[in-house]
Amino acid sequence: VGFVEVVNYPSLDVVCKLNAHTAGCYCIAMDPLDRYFAVGSADSLVSLWNVKELLCIKTFTKLEWPVRTVSFNHTGEFIAYASEDPFIDIANIQTGRSIHQIPCKAAMNSVEWNPKYNLLAYAGDDKNKYQADDGVFRIFGFEST
């Protein structure tokens, strides 16, 4: 099912195996302040884990399709995640609330925050008017409040 293995480095000995989701885990991201990690899964959920205690502290549930990509912003205040849903969700880590949704016309394969600013790059697949596959790459920015 959806396990996350925690290993020691450099030995790569398994410390523990977390039962994180009800389906396969597709992506993982570390909070830049090393407090949390987030796991996206085929069950359409993103789980937020406390690094020190290895406990799930929050679940983000806005998507209906398997989560393909997840990323924290540079302050660790926001998380962005996406799938085949027609939007990218941006949520506040502390409250768990969605603060913005970026509309998409295609499945997103990657979301990544700029390391210094609230700029989010995202890429996915799209169909042009002749039904050929085109890649989409865009950048979204906003001011945090």
Side-chain angles (χ1 to χ4, degrees):
V1 181
F3 292 103
V4 173
E5 287 186 348
V6 179
V7 298
N8 273 329
Y9 182 81
S11 70
L12 301 182
D13 294 330
V14 176
V15 174
C16 68
K17 191 173 181 179
L18 303 173
N19 189 358
H21 287 270
T22 60
C25 298
Y26 287 173
C27 53
I28 191 166
M30 289 294 299
D31 156 45
L33 304 178
D34 296 327
R35 302 167 299 172
Y36 312 113
F37 63 92
V39 179
S41 171
D43 62 11
S44 78
L45 303 174
V46 174
S47 57
L48 183 69
W49 295 78
N50 177 294
V51 168
K52 290 181 182 174
E53 298 178 22
L54 296 177
L55 291 174
C56 181
I57 58 171
K58 199 167 278 142
T59 304
F60 300 90
T61 62
K62 291 289 182 187
L63 302 180
E64 294 182 17
W65 290 88
V67 181
R68 293 178 169 203
T69 180
V70 61
S71 180
F72 289 92
N73 79 324
H74 69 288
T75 63
E77 182 181 5
F78 303 116
I79 190 170
Y81 54 99
S83 67
E84 294 179 43
D85 285 88
F87 61 89
I88 297 167
D89 193 52
I90 299 174
N92 181 291
I93 291 297
Q94 297 305 315
T95 66
R97 292 186 179 155
S98 178
I99 61 159
H100 190 76
Q101 291 182 345
I102 303 169
C104 300
K105 294 180 182 177
M108 290 296 111
N109 297 320
S110 181
V111 294
E112 191 63 43
W113 290 94
N114 179 286
K116 293 183 180 180
Y117 305 103
N118 281 330
L119 297 171
L120 181 71
Y122 56 98
D125 302 325
D126 204 353
K127 299 276 186 188
N128 69 22
K129 63 183 177 181
Y130 303 108
Q131 297 300 310
D133 287 330
D134 283 342
V136 172
F137 178 80
R138 293 191 172 97
I139 296 176
F140 170 82
F142 71 97
E143 294 292 323
S144 61
T145 57

